[in-house]
Amino acid sequence: MNIIQLQYFVDSAESGSFTETAKKHGITVPAVSQSISQLENELEATLFTRSKKGIALTQDGFKAMKYARTILTNVRNMRNELSKSNRINTGNIVIATIPGMVSLVTDTTITFMGIYPHINVQLLEGDNTAVMNQVMKGEADMGFVSLSRESQDDSFTWEPVIRGEAVIVVNKQSPLRFLTAITSSELHNEVLVIYKDAYIERVAAELIAGDSGNRIALTTNNTQAIMQMVSRGNAITIATDYIVNTMPEKFKNGVVTIPIGKYKKYPNYLWRITKKDVEVTAIIKEYTQHLYANLE
C-alpha cells in the first residue's frame, strides 16, 4: 500500500470514475484500475463494484474512504509542516515588547530557538509608545503592547493575544489578601507603586481620587523594582491580570491578586502588532503560535 494508491482510490470514489482519475493524474485507465486492484488485494476487501455503468463504493469501500482521507490529510499536513520548517529554518526576528511581557517572550524565545537553532532573535524593550514606534520604523518585525481596544492606531495590524482586567497585587501577608474584590475605600492609607502605562495610571487615579491617605510613591517602567517592593510588603500595585501571570514564579508565589469592583474595571488587551500592509512572515506566525502556547 502506498500514498499514490490511496489517492487514486479517493479520487475515483469522489468522481465515480476511473477515467476521470486517469485524466486528473495523466495516466491510463488500466493503470488506475490495476492500482485499485492491488490496494484491494492488500486490504483483502472489495472497494468498488464495477459494471458497464461505472463504479460504486461497496460497504467496505465506504469504511476505507474514511481512513484513506485521514491518511492523505495527515500526509498533506506533514508536508506543509516540513515545508514551513524549511522556510523558517534560518533568519532574524526583532521583537519589541513592553517590560511586563519580557519574561514570557524570553521563555518563548528559548523554546523557539531550541526548535530553530539558526534563527537569531533580538529583543527590544520599551513602553507602548516605544514599541509602536519601533514597529512603525521597521526596527522591529512585531511588537507586543497592552492597550484598550479604543487605543488602536490604524497604522498597524492588531491581533488580540489575550483579554485582561486590572487587579490589585499585594504581598501574601497584606491584610487586603482576604478580600474577594476591592474598592477605593478599602485602599485607605495604602502606598502604591505603579507601572507607567496609560491604562494602569487611569485605574490608579480613579481608585485613589478624593482620598488623601493614599499616595503613589513610585511610577516606573522597571517591573523588577515594582515586583521587589510588592513582594517585600513595602507597597501594593495595580497590574493587568495577564501581566501578573507571566511574571517569574518567585514573584507570583509571594503575592495575591484581588479583583477591582466591577464598576472600576476596564477591559484591556495584549496585542501583537505588525506594520499595516506588510505581509506577516512564516517566522513571525510560527513564533506567535509558540507564544500563544506558553500563555495557555
Side-chain angles (χ1 to χ4, degrees), residues 64-81:
M65 269 288 286
K66 178 178 68 174
Y67 292 103
R69 281 176 171 155
T70 299
I71 291 169
L72 292 174
T73 297
N74 287 336
V75 169
R76 281 193 295 270
N77 290 341
M78 177 178 65
R79 286 172 175 163
N80 289 337
E81 284 296 314

Side-chain angles (χ1 to χ4, degrees), residues 7 17 59 67 70 125 141 154 160 173 197 215 276:
Q7 190 64 66
S17 169
Q59 187 174 0
Y67 292 103
T70 299
E125 183 181 344
D141 299 302
D154 290 339
Q173 304 306 315
D197 173 87
R215 68 188 182 93
K276 198 164 189 177

Side-chain angles (χ1 to χ4, degrees), residues 103-131:
S103 178
L104 176 65
V105 172
T106 300
D107 289 344
T108 302
T109 299
I110 292 171
T111 302
F112 193 76
M113 293 178 70
I115 300 171
Y116 305 106
H118 301 297
I119 294 289
N120 299 313
V121 180
Q122 181 181 354
L123 182 62
L124 307 176
E125 183 181 344
D127 59 19
N128 288 323
T129 301
V131 170

